[in-house]
């Protein structure tokens, strides 16, 4: 497990919360129970690579909610296959007012039928009426990227202005190690 900005994993949980969403399910991107520091009405994503000869099973999609509060507005979380610029079948979830399970820090989740992602590059993104915790716009050190024992590599954060394509293809790539702390997935 590695952090972006150097903050310890313990920063991401408070008593009564859990980083482990369910047996064998881990939150891939997370920020601690913090207040949002940015609003954005388009799309934001985190790109990652599943290593050669590796695979992960995605069992849920999640979204940042301000300090663990109720979701405001609606937002759609998707996992994109970056080789084809298409959404991965079965890995789309729309969040509204909830309630949803609080899985870690400030993240709510919707569980999905498990989908296996093989080796390749993907992006988990959210688009809609969004608040997020941008480590480039706030205190650093509260963002986490879980490598799942070396299976995954983080490839940066992206934002875009077309919510029908991955943010990388419709926007800009901020310099690392900015992490928007917005969309997440549960995987093992």
């Amino acid at each position: 497990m590695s952090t972006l900005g150097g903050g310890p994993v313990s920063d991401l949980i408070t008593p009564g919360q859990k980083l482990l969403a369910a047996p064998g399910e881990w939150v891939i991107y997370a920020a601690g129970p913090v207040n949002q520091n940015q609003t954005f009405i388009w799309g934001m994503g985190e790109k990652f690579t599943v290593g050669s000869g590796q695979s992960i099973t995605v069992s849920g999609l999640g979204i940042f909610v301000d300090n663990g509060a109720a979701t405001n507005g609606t937002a759609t979380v998707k996992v994109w296959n970056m080789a084809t610029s298409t959404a991965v079948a079965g890995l789309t979830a729309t969040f509204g007012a909830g309630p949803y399970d609080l899985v870690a820090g400030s993240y709510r989740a919707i569980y999905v039928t498990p989908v296996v992602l093989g080796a390749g590059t993907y992006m988990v993104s959210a688009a809609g009426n969004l608040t997020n915790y941008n480590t480039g716009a706030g205190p650093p050190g509260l963002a986490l990227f879980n490598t799942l024992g070396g299976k995954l590599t983080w490839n940066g954060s992206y934002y875009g202005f077309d919510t029908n394509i991955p943010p990388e293809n419709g926007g800009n790539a901020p310099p690392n190690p900015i992490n928007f702390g917005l969309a997440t997935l549960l995987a093992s």
Side-chain angles (χ1 to χ4, degrees):
M1 192 175 305
S2 62
T3 58
L4 304 174
V9 172
S10 60
D11 286 345
L12 300 173
I13 56 176
T14 58
Q17 293 183 323
K18 54 187 178 181
L19 181 60
L20 186 65
E25 296 174 340
W26 288 92
V27 177
I28 301 302
Y29 294 102
V34 296
N35 295 323
Q36 63 91 9
N37 60 18
Q38 187 179 56
T39 58
F40 197 74
I41 61 171
W42 303 102
M44 290 182 160
E46 304 288 340
K47 194 161 84 168
F48 63 96
T49 298
V50 179
S52 178
Q54 303 287 335
S55 67
I56 64 170
T57 301
V58 178
S59 54
L61 300 172
I63 195 163
F64 176 90
V65 289
D66 187 36
N67 207 18
T71 304
N72 294 323
T74 61
T76 300
V77 175
K78 294 182 182 182
V79 175
W80 300 89
N81 179 325
M82 296 307 293
T84 62
S85 293
T86 58
V88 176
L91 294 182
T92 298
T94 299
F95 290 81
Y100 304 103
D101 288 344
L102 183 64
V103 292
S106 291
Y107 291 82
R108 303 275 179 183
I110 291 177
Y111 293 90
V112 297
T113 301
V115 174
V116 175
L117 299 180
T121 300
Y122 302 89
M123 179 181 288
V124 58
S125 72
N129 183 9
L130 309 172
T131 61
N132 69 95
Y133 181 73
N134 183 337
T135 62
L142 290 176
L144 166 102
F145 175 69
N146 186 341
T147 66
L148 292 181
K151 291 181 180 182
L152 304 177
T153 304
W154 182 65
N155 301 124
S157 296
Y158 296 83
Y159 63 92
F161 306 106
D162 184 338
T163 60
N164 297 310
I165 60 173
E168 178 189 44
N169 295 346
N172 299 284
N176 292 341
I178 290 174
N179 182 302
F180 294 129
L182 178 60
T184 192
L185 51 85
L186 307 178
S188 58

